[in-house]
Amino acid sequence: MNEDRTFWECIHDARSGGQIPRVWRTRELIDVLTPPAGRFSPNTVSVLPYNGSISREGNGIGDFIKRGIEPKAWRVGRGKFELIVDPDDDAEQQHTQRELAKMRSLELRAQVRRTAGQVNPTRPTQPRTLTRSETPRRSGRGVPTNRRDVAETITLDDLELQEIAELSTEQKALYIVTKYIRDKYGSGVEIEKDHDGADLRFSVHGQDEQRIEVKGTASKDLAWSQLKVSSQKSHDALESGEVTMYRVVNVDGPQPSIYILKYDQDFTLEPEPRWAVRQINREDDRYPLRGRSYRYNLPLDPVAQDDWETPE
């Protein structure tokens, strides 16, 4: 595989060569794009299609598209994708699909901005602080099971570090967790995004589906004071035990660690209402006297000593 080809160009090449179908899943890219045939890691293959795609209908939008990057693929079903510019289409069809994708991405970005700006004054969002469980559970032999003291450490190579260098902390954490799951369970695992109170869901050979809330930090410890759960859906899913939290620490380093945490065993959820105050930058703040008339009384008189303000 040509080292100069981008990830999406390699998918286009695979489509041109008949190596993958028009509508493909990430698992169908593994044999084509990962070593020895390709040069991308399994984690890259599983994450980038979601980050670089949008849905024709609904609200599916990848993290890269939110940041203004041009979408590369359509989401056409659960875990299924189709190139926006497919080699089987003629020039007119490719142009039409490209323009449609541009319009759709603008709509979805606007929708994201509207959703982020919505505030319900009658019921403000209440971030919840995760705190240490006071009483650790015990195993059947009477030995304390302190899950937060046990971490899985993985190693990222130079290429993987380059791939995630520009991502946010949470995006890096998602990348790391996906790599961990793929390394642990192999080619039989299928990982998808979860939009119902969790970040990811995965199953092995179509069985034992698990749902995960991913929380990342650049700190090398759990950084409990920084852990927040803002979504009511996430809160309910964690509290019910339907979702497990994966806390990824040292996301910027070559050897991040993952702590697998369970509600009521490793943490509790406590309400912590809080509002963030943000300054509004207005043009007339820079020139407060513009457009106003002022009168100065006795402008040439001396100033008395007591009139000066001095710091204490």
Side-chain angles (χ1 to χ4, degrees):
M1 181 177 291
N2 191 328
E3 292 291 325
D4 295 329
R5 304 292 282 173
T6 67
F7 176 81
W8 291 104
E9 287 172 342
C10 290
I11 294 180
H12 190 278
D13 293 344
R15 277 285 301 125
S16 299
Q19 295 172 285
I20 58 174
R22 184 183 184 100
V23 175
W24 41 268
R25 294 177 178 268
T26 55
R27 64 190 180 193
E28 295 174 303
L29 302 178
I30 297 293
D31 293 338
V32 179
L33 301 186
T34 61
R39 61 185 178 87
F40 298 99
S41 70
N43 190 59
T44 299
V45 171
S46 65
V47 171
L48 290 190
Y50 287 97
N51 287 339
S53 63
I54 57 175
S55 62
R56 289 190 177 96
E57 299 177 352
N59 58 359
I61 179 171
D63 291 329
F64 291 168
I65 317 306
K66 292 178 185 178
R67 293 157 49 189
I69 296 176
E70 180 183 349
K72 302 296 184 182
W74 296 110
R75 300 181 185 181
V76 296
R78 187 171 178 180
K80 297 180 179 180
F81 304 87
E82 178 183 344
L83 287 175
I84 290 171
V85 179
D86 191 90
D88 283 353
D89 293 337
D90 58 31
E92 182 178 353
Q93 290 174 316
Q94 291 179 354
H95 175 75
T96 300
Q97 289 297 306
R98 190 181 290 110
E99 292 301 310
L100 180 61
K102 287 181 181 179
M103 293 178 58
R104 187 71 182 118
S105 60
L106 289 174
E107 293 173 357
L108 290 172
R109 289 189 195 111
Q111 181 177 329
V112 169
R113 288 194 295 269
R114 287 195 300 270
T115 302
Q118 288 176 350
V119 177
N120 184 350
T122 62
R123 186 181 179 183
T125 301
Q126 295 187 351
R128 290 163 172 80
T129 303
L130 293 118
T131 59
R132 295 176 185 267
S133 178
E134 297 296 331
T135 308
R137 298 287 181 90
R138 294 180 176 270
S139 66
R141 296 183 180 180
V143 179
T145 304
N146 198 353
R147 299 164 65 93
R148 61 176 174 266
D149 291 338
V150 179
E152 297 281 351
T153 300
I154 65 175
T155 300
L156 302 177
D157 59 33
D158 291 340
L159 180 59
E160 290 169 330
L161 289 171
Q162 292 175 15
E163 290 173 357
I164 67 174
E166 302 300 323
L167 300 182
S168 68
T169 296
E170 291 306 318
Q171 289 170 340
K172 289 177 181 177
L174 286 169
Y175 183 104
I176 291 164
V177 168
T178 305
K179 172 180 171 60
Y180 164 74
I181 294 172
R182 290 215 173 272
D183 290 347
K184 181 174 182 179
Y185 296 102
S187 59
V189 68
E190 182 170 345
I191 307 174
E192 299 176 347
K193 282 195 173 181
D194 184 309
H195 301 286
D196 192 25
D199 293 308
L200 298 174
R201 67 172 68 216
F202 75 92
S203 59
V204 182
H205 300 294
Q207 299 179 347
D208 300 326
E209 183 175 88
Q210 299 183 44
R211 302 172 63 209
I212 303 170
E213 177 80 358
V214 179
K215 296 293 184 181
T217 177
S219 173
K220 294 185 179 180
D221 55 40
L222 280 162
W224 287 96
S225 63
Q226 299 175 17
L227 270 170
K228 308 290 180 182
V229 176
S230 298
S231 164
Q232 186 66 45
K233 280 188 175 181
S234 296
H235 166 271
D236 295 345
L238 287 165
E239 191 174 54
S240 67
E242 297 175 7
V243 172
T244 301
M245 178 175 292
Y246 280 38
R247 178 59 160 170
V248 186
V249 306
N250 191 28
V251 296
D252 296 324
Q255 291 187 312
S257 297
I258 301 173
Y259 292 83
I260 301 176
L261 308 174
K262 295 288 289 183
Y263 178 82
D264 206 28
Q265 295 183 21
D266 306 297
F267 64 87
T268 57
L269 295 169
E270 298 179 353
E272 187 189 57
R274 182 176 59 185
W275 292 97
V277 178
R278 297 286 184 266
Q279 180 184 8
I280 298 177
N281 294 319
R282 299 184 303 176
E283 180 64 22
D284 54 357
D285 287 342
R286 299 173 57 192
Y287 307 101
L289 303 184
R290 176 182 289 174
R292 301 180 183 180
S293 60
Y294 284 81
R295 176 181 175 184
Y296 296 91
N297 295 321
L298 304 175
L300 301 180
D301 279 12
V303 179
Q305 182 68 31
D306 293 340
D307 290 339
W308 291 101
E309 293 184 358
T310 59
E312 298 186 5

